[in-house]
Amino acid sequence: MAKTLKIEKTNAARLLDRAKIEYALIPYTVDEDNLAATHVAEELGEDIATVFKTLILRGDRTGHFVCVIPGDKEVDLKAAARVSGNKKCDLIPMKELLPTTGYIRGGCSPIGMKKPFPTFIHTTALDHPYIYISAGVRGLQIKIAPADLIAFVGAKVECVVVSEEEKPLLEA
């Protein structure tokens, strides 16, 4: 008889349950040396365009905010600052991630942070019937309809990634 894998519900999953939002918890094998979303997509056997990462930024005017972007993209700091009402912004230092959000690198979810922050989800999320986001721990993803996630966290849909045309300028 096959053994059933018992998946522990995370705080993010319990919050979705309480809100009666449909989702699925999808486990994957963690590689501590490679926490990149591209690795998560490979482990899930999914297109990287559907695996989103959660980044925490701090603006010069509004303080902390969240960007949820496709796993293979980079956040456009100028666009993120503009949509969040800041003149400039930057990613928070890694040592501030846990005290600020309650989550660690590779397990940061836009759902269930210590306090709610303004959240911006990249426009391409709406191109898919579902996307994957961290469930709040390494090794577990939430598969969710983008519209449900957007409504639940009160996110704004914005273009906050570096476009392919801009990449060479950044690397120069």
Side-chain angles (χ1 to χ4, degrees), residues 106-138:
C108 189
S109 178
I111 300 169
M113 291 188 189
K114 283 185 171 183
K115 53 187 267 201
F117 297 113
T119 302
F120 303 91
I121 295 181
H122 192 259
T123 54
T124 58
L126 296 174
D127 296 343
H128 309 285
Y130 59 84
I131 59 171
Y132 293 89
I133 57 167
S134 176
V137 294
R138 292 177 182 162

Side-chain angles (χ1 to χ4, degrees), residues 10 13 15 21-22 30 32 34 60 70 75-76 82-83 91 102 114-115 127 130 150 152 170:
T10 63
L15 290 169
I21 294 175
E22 194 174 313
V30 177
E32 294 293 334
N34 184 4
D60 64 337
V75 68
D76 180 334
R82 185 180 66 254
V83 302
L91 291 167
K114 283 185 171 183
K115 53 187 267 201
D127 296 343
Y130 59 84
I150 290 162
F152 185 70
L170 293 175

Side-chain angles (χ1 to χ4, degrees), residues 26-65:
I26 313 292
Y28 67 93
T29 304
V30 177
D31 178 352
E32 294 293 334
D33 296 324
N34 184 4
L35 297 175
T38 49
H39 170 73
V40 175
E42 288 168 13
E43 285 293 314
L44 296 174
E46 293 287 343
D47 182 348
I48 186 62
T50 64
V51 178
F52 281 63
K53 59 187 174 185
T54 303
L55 304 173
I56 314 304
L57 296 93
R58 183 178 18 243
D60 64 337
R61 294 179 176 169
T62 65
H64 294 101
F65 63 98

